[in-house]
């Protein structure tokens, strides 16, 4: 805990500071160089002495002890009143030497001491002086006739803009209240930048002015000039640092009125805002706000760019027009006649005003003019020719020639409509002048056609739509695609008459290729399930019958036929005479290769089911019969040939089938025998002519290589020998 005591020491003052260790630190100073100040906001005391040593007490309500010693008595300071009263006493007593025992009273704050018990309010203060009223009032009452006719006059001649003539502080209430029959308070600034009154509030309203029965505030300014506007009242609005300004910041005057319950609410406000706050391009807007259904609304807005009323322009405010608002040459808003309110109607756009309520469409326009037909029509009756002429562009209505058209720079551009009578109504959209590309759209009501074309002399260039014939053509008169009859499609070169694609949806025929009066080459797809190629209107190449599963390759002279249905699976190579080179029957698993015709044939038969290869002549087996499954192979013409049984290892040469006399030779490799069979029976080599030796055989006419039987005796008898 810290204890601070101030002692009166005759004409001097001792300031003693006791730390927690009760160590005493004393300062002796002339009273004129000691300054103490009580801070009522935080209950601290600032102490300054001549040596610039400064002390600040802690909050004296927090166990600090601060005392004044007056005439030997210690007085504890607990509030501002204690401080103010005793601060004055300690220094007043210091001028009297001994203190409270009588003697001369010394005014050590510089005031005039005219007796031992009285100090007048006069003289020059030599130190800060506080008069504490404690819980009493300090009243100054009198009737002063001296200029400036004030009972109390405060004057601070310190040359500083922050110098104050009077400083009044009320931490929890009103700093000063003034009453007067003429004015409660009068302020006057005498310097070039001085103000009559300056009011500041840290947390609330800076100034409040009220009148119980008359005008609450009145502002008067005296200027030397009398022929221009000078500022009488100026309102400042600044954001609190570090916040900066932005578009939309404004300053206004608010109007507050009581409601039915006696509570006050804002009824309206007039304000100026920055619509553009940039210094070099500042733009302001004047706004008027009001209240409707307990909600604040912007009523109107005005700036350099114009004037705007809220809720106008959308039909909210309706009624019967008596007068119209207008603007004169000076910008004044005036009333003008609406047609029923009287007054002279002035056609300020240059049209002819022939009466007070009528303006004719005649004259020279002086400005842009808008005609809003709303839901009504603009009709011209008994007019043979009507035109709207612009700079390089015009609209022409020619009733005599029944023509409506637009003209650009003297040429027909844009729109052209002509009725020749009898239903011949034609409309052109685009460039019908014939210059440049001349592209236009032609619509004929009589022909029911729409044509996109140009003025190059072609029949069409783009498309033709014939609604009556249901014909739709796209391209130009050289090459186009055409849909017609609701059932046909063609791709045609009109200059040569050649069709590249032609579809007949009615008969189900689709032709692709080159179709013309010259020899054509095309492929035709029939809806019946046939695809075929042709040349010069003759079927050639391929023909696929998907319904009957028949497939042809070739032409009428030579072609291949494939039949692939379940009743017939065949492959045929034949010519126009019916002569087939190959015939395959997949169901019977038989393949014929050779020459097959109605009169004769010469072929080989391959039978997969029997495993045989057989040659035919005139539709009869002849020449070759190969049984590959059983290993039996025949070669011959029926009465003579060779028969081979690979399984039995037997070879027969001759009439082994018995179709003739049945003579043949049999070689049996399994039995190692050779037999000769004739009509008379079977023969062996014992029937061969016998000779004694080789010379005897040659002598009897045999040749080298012939066989003979040896006629010797014993083991050599009946031996088979070869002449050598």
């Amino acid at each position: 805990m810290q204890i601070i005591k101030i002692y009166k020491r005759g004409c001097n003052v001792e300031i003693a500071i006791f730390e927690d260790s009760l160590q005493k630190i004393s300062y002796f100073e002339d009273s004129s160089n000691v300054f103490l100040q009580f801070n009522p906001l935080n209950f601290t005391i600032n102490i300054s002495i001549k040596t610039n040593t400064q002390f600040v007490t802690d909050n004296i309500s927090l166990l600090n002890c601060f005392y004044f010693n007056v005439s030997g008595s210690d007085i504890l300071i607990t509030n501002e009143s204690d401080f103010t009263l005793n601060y004055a006493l300690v220094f007043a007593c210091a001028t009297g030497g001994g203190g409270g025992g009588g003697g001369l009273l010394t005014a050590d704050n510089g005031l005039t001491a005219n007796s031992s018990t009285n100090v007048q309010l006069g003289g020059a203060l030599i130190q800060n002086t506080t008069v504490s009223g404690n819980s009493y009032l300090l009243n100054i009452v009198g009737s002063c006739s001296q200029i400036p006719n004030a009972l109390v006059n405060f004057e601070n001649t310190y040359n500083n803009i922050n110098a104050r003539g009077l400083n009044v502080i009320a931490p929890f209430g009103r700093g000063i209240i003034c009453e007067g029959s003429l004015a409660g308070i009068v302020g006057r600034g005498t310097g070039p930048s001085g103000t009559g009154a300056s009011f500041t509030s840290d947390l609330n309203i800076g100034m409040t002015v009220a009148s119980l029965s008359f005008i609450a505030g009145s502002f008067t300014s005296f200027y030397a000039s009398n022929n221009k506007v000078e500022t009488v009242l100026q309102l400042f609005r600044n954001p609190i640092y570090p916040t900066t300004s932005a578009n939309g910041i404004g300053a206004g005057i608010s109007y507050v009125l009581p409601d039915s319950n006696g509570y006050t609410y804002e009824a309206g406000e007039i304000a100026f805002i920055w619509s553009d706050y940039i210094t070099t391009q500042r733009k302001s807007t004047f706004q008027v706000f009001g209240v409707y259904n307990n909600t604040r609304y912007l009523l109107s807005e005005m700036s350099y760019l114009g004037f705007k009323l809220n809720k106008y322009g959308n039909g909210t405010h309706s009624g019967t027009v008596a007068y119209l608002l207008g603007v004169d040459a000076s910008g004044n808003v005036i009333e003008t006649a609406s047609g029923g309110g009287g007054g002279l109607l002035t056609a300020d756009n240059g049209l002819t005003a022939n009466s007070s309520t009528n303006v004719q469409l005649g004259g020279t326009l002086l400005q842009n003019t808008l005609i809003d037909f709303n839901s009504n029509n603009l009709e011209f009756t008994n007019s043979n020719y009507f035109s709207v002429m612009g700079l390089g562009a015009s609209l022409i209505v020619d009733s005599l020639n029944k023509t409506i058209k637009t003209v650009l720079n003297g040429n027909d551009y844009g729109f052209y409509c002509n009725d020749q009578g009898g239903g011949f109504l034609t409309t052109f959209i685009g460039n019908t002048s014939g210059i440049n590309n001349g592209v236009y759209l032609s619509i004929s009501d009589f022909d029911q056609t729409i044509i996109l074309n140009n003025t190059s002399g072609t029949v069409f260039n783009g498309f033709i739509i014939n609604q009556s014939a249901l014909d739709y053509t796209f391209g130009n008169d050289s090459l186009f695609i055409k849909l017609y009859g609701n059932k046909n499609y063609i791709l045609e070169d009109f200059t040569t008459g050649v069709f590249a694609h032609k579809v007949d949806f009615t008969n189900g025929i689709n032709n692709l290729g080159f179709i013309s009066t010259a020899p054509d080459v095309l492929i035709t797809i029939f809806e019946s399930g046939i695809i075929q190629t042709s040349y010069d209107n003759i079927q050639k190449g391929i023909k696929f019958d998907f319904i009957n599963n028949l497939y042809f390759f070739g032409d009428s002279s030579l072609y291949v036929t494939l039949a692939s249905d379940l009743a017939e699976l065949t492959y045929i190579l034949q010519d126009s005479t019916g002569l087939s080179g190959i015939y395959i029957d997949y169901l019977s698993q038989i393949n014929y290769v050779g020459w097959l015709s109605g009169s004769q044939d010469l072929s080989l038969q391959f039978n997969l089911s029997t495993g045989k290869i057989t040659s035919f002549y005139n539709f009869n087996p002849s020449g070759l019969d190969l049984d590959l499954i059983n290993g039996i192979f025949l070669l011959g013409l029926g009465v003579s040939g060779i028969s081979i049984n690979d399984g039995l290892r037997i070879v027969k040469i001759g009439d082994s089938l018995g179709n003739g006399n049945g003579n043949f030779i049999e070689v049996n490799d399994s039995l190692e025998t050779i037999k000769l069979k004739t009509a008379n029976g079977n023969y062996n080599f014992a029937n061969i002519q016998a000779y004694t030796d080789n010379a005897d055989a040659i002598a009897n006419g045999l040749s080298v290589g012939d066989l003979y039987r040896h006629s010797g005796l014993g083991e050599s008898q009946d031996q088979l020998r070869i002449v050598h």
Side-chain angles (χ1 to χ4, degrees):
M1 182 177 65
Q2 187 180 66
I3 301 176
I4 301 175
K5 288 186 177 182
I6 300 178
Y7 298 94
K8 173 187 72 72
R9 299 291 187 230
C11 293
N12 295 321
V13 175
E14 176 188 357
I15 298 175
I17 300 175
F18 296 87
E19 301 294 343
D20 291 339
S21 61
L22 297 180
Q23 180 181 0
K24 178 181 178 182
I25 303 175
S26 297
Y27 298 91
F28 295 92
E29 294 295 334
D30 186 276
S31 60
S32 63
N33 293 308
V34 175
F35 173 75
L36 283 81
Q37 183 179 25
F38 182 85
N39 190 337
L41 296 181
N42 55 14
F43 290 93
T44 61
I45 298 177
N46 299 325
I47 303 173
S48 298
I49 57 179
K50 183 173 63 176
T51 59
N52 293 326
T53 302
Q54 182 170 338
F55 303 93
V56 180
T57 69
D58 293 331
N59 190 314
I60 63 175
S61 65
L62 300 178
L63 301 181
N64 271 326
C65 292
F66 186 87
Y67 294 92
F68 281 118
N69 187 282
V70 180
S71 300
S73 299
D74 292 338
I75 300 175
L76 177 65
I77 305 301
T78 60
N79 54 50
E80 183 180 9
S81 298
D82 293 343
F83 173 83
T84 304
L85 177 62
N86 292 285
Y87 178 66
L89 289 176
V90 72
F91 289 106
C93 292
T95 61
L104 182 63
L105 180 63
T106 301
D108 55 4
N109 61 357
L111 300 182
T112 302
N114 63 339
S115 71
S116 61
T117 59
N118 183 42
V119 176
Q120 295 181 347
L121 292 178
L125 287 178
I126 59 176
Q127 63 185 34
N128 292 335
T129 299
T130 300
V131 178
S132 176
N134 198 4
S135 58
Y136 299 97
L137 295 176
L138 175 63
N139 293 324
I140 301 176
V141 181
S143 177
C144 181
S145 60
Q146 299 183 22
I147 301 299
N149 304 117
L151 290 178
V152 181
N153 187 47
F154 300 91
E155 182 177 355
N156 187 350
T157 60
Y158 180 54
N159 187 13
N160 187 280
I161 60 173
N162 293 319
R164 302 176 184 179
L166 174 65
N167 191 48
V168 179
I169 299 176
F172 306 105
R174 295 175 173 85
I176 185 171
I177 296 177
C178 301
E179 297 181 6
S181 61
L182 181 62
I185 185 171
V186 176
R188 180 179 182 181
T190 59
S193 300
T195 59
S198 177
F199 301 91
T200 302
S201 172
D202 291 339
L203 303 174
N204 209 310
I205 300 173
M207 179 181 68
T208 300
V209 180
S211 173
L212 299 180
S213 61
F214 201 61
I215 298 174
S218 176
F219 298 89
T220 303
S221 176
F222 298 94
Y223 282 97
S225 60
N226 60 3
N227 59 351
K228 64 177 181 178
V229 176
E230 299 287 1
T231 301
V232 175
L233 176 63
Q234 194 172 51
L235 304 179
F236 288 88
R237 158 76 191 284
N238 281 315
I240 299 176
Y241 182 82
T243 304
T244 59
S245 185
N247 286 342
I249 187 174
I253 299 176
S254 178
Y255 297 85
V256 180
L257 300 174
D259 66 354
S260 59
N261 295 319
Y263 298 107
T264 55
Y265 295 94
E266 181 186 70
E269 184 180 15
I270 57 175
F272 278 91
I273 68 168
W274 283 132
S275 56
D276 188 343
Y277 79 106
I278 302 301
T279 302
T280 57
Q281 57 190 36
R282 299 187 312 279
K283 300 179 182 66
S284 64
T285 300
F286 175 71
Q287 295 179 333
V288 179
F289 295 89
V291 176
Y292 184 77
N293 284 339
N294 203 33
T295 303
R296 174 185 168 101
Y297 281 103
L298 175 66
L299 301 180
S300 63
E301 186 175 81
M302 182 168 55
S303 68
Y304 176 82
L305 299 178
F307 177 70
K308 181 174 70 174
L309 295 175
N310 185 37
K311 298 296 183 181
Y312 279 86
N314 56 8
T316 301
H317 307 284
S318 60
T320 302
V321 176
Y323 292 91
L324 301 177
L325 294 181
V327 181
D328 63 13
S330 300
N332 299 311
V333 179
I334 60 174
E335 287 183 326
T336 61
S338 66
L344 179 63
L345 182 62
T346 302
D348 55 3
N349 59 1
L351 301 181
T352 301
N354 64 337
S355 70
S356 62
T357 60
N358 184 44
V359 176
Q360 293 181 342
L361 291 178
T364 301
L365 285 179
L366 303 177
Q367 62 192 35
N368 293 334
T369 301
L370 173 65
I371 300 177
D372 185 357
F373 298 110
N374 199 358
S375 300
N376 303 309
N377 297 323
L378 176 64
E379 297 183 359
F380 297 90
T381 59
N382 299 323
S383 176
N384 294 327
Y385 193 89
F386 170 74
S387 65
V388 178
M389 308 296 292
L391 184 60
S394 60
L395 170 66
I396 297 175
V397 180
D398 187 349
S399 299
L400 292 178
N401 297 310
K402 297 181 179 180
T403 300
I404 301 175
K405 68 177 181 178
T406 56
V407 178
L408 181 64
N409 295 327
N411 299 305
D412 291 341
Y413 278 100
F415 180 81
Y416 181 96
C417 182
N418 178 259
D419 185 3
Q420 299 178 5
F424 288 94
L425 178 63
T426 304
T427 302
F428 297 93
I429 300 174
N431 179 9
T432 60
S433 64
I435 62 176
N436 298 329
N437 296 319
V439 179
Y440 63 90
L441 186 69
S442 172
I443 304 173
S444 174
D445 185 68
F446 181 81
D447 296 330
Q448 299 185 40
T449 60
I450 301 175
I451 301 175
L452 177 63
N453 203 353
N454 57 24
T455 55
S456 62
T458 58
V459 176
F460 81 100
N461 195 347
F463 62 82
I464 298 178
I465 299 176
N466 190 325
Q467 189 63 32
S468 62
L470 298 178
D471 288 356
Y472 308 94
T473 305
F474 304 89
N476 54 44
D477 50 14
S478 296
L479 181 64
F480 60 85
I481 295 174
K482 183 176 183 181
L483 310 176
Y484 62 95
N486 208 26
K487 287 290 186 180
N488 297 277
Y489 165 90
I490 61 172
L491 173 61
E492 180 181 359
D493 183 354
F494 188 75
T495 57
T496 61
V498 175
F499 297 90
H501 192 189
K502 187 174 183 180
V503 181
D504 183 353
F505 289 95
T506 301
N507 299 309
I509 300 174
N510 188 347
N511 292 320
L512 294 170
F514 293 94
I515 312 164
S516 66
T517 56
D520 56 357
V521 178
L522 70 150
I523 181 171
T524 304
I525 303 173
F526 296 90
E527 191 178 15
S528 59
I530 296 176
I531 298 177
Q532 69 179 31
T533 58
S534 62
Y535 175 75
D536 198 13
N537 293 324
I538 299 175
Q539 189 270 315
K540 291 184 178 183
I542 63 172
K543 181 178 181 182
F544 299 157
D545 186 347
F546 295 100
I547 303 299
N548 298 309
N549 295 312
L550 296 176
Y551 308 95
F552 300 88
F553 302 89
D555 56 21
S556 59
S557 299
L558 181 63
Y559 57 90
V560 174
T561 303
L562 302 178
S564 61
D565 62 354
L566 296 179
E568 182 181 9
L569 296 173
T570 60
Y571 171 91
I572 302 174
L573 173 62
Q574 65 185 52
D575 61 7
S576 60
T577 63
L579 183 62
S580 301
I582 299 175
Y583 183 93
I584 302 175
D585 184 351
Y586 287 94
L587 291 178
S588 301
Q589 296 183 323
I590 297 175
N591 186 355
Y592 294 93
V593 179
W595 302 103
L596 302 92
S597 66
S599 59
Q600 61 181 4
D601 75 317
L602 178 62
S603 62
L604 286 175
Q605 181 194 79
F606 299 84
N607 193 323
L608 184 62
S609 62
T610 61
K612 288 185 176 183
I613 300 176
T614 307
S615 62
F616 283 82
Y617 179 73
N618 288 336
F619 306 102
N620 294 315
S622 177
L624 183 66
D625 188 357
L626 306 178
D627 186 348
L628 302 180
I629 295 177
N630 299 310
I632 300 174
F633 310 101
L634 301 177
L635 177 61
L637 297 176
V639 297
S640 63
I642 300 174
S643 173
I644 302 173
N645 190 323
D646 186 64
L648 300 177
R649 295 163 63 182
I650 298 174
V651 177
K652 297 178 180 181
I653 301 174
D655 186 11
S656 61
L657 299 178
N659 293 326
N661 294 324
N663 298 315
F664 63 90
I665 298 173
E666 179 185 271
V667 178
N668 191 324
D669 184 65
S670 299
L671 301 177
E672 297 183 355
T673 61
I674 298 176
K675 292 182 179 182
L676 176 61
K677 182 180 180 182
T678 66
N680 296 324
N682 294 328
Y683 296 89
N684 56 32
F685 289 104
N687 301 106
I688 298 177
Q689 188 68 34
Y691 298 99
T692 58
D693 54 21
N694 187 67
D696 185 23
I698 292 175
N700 286 282
L702 297 182
S703 301
V704 176
D706 291 337
L707 297 176
Y708 67 93
R709 183 168 55 84
H710 186 253
S711 61
L713 300 175
E715 289 296 328
S716 64
Q717 186 179 0
D718 294 330
Q719 288 180 346
L720 185 62
R721 296 187 177 184
I722 300 174
V723 178
H724 59 278

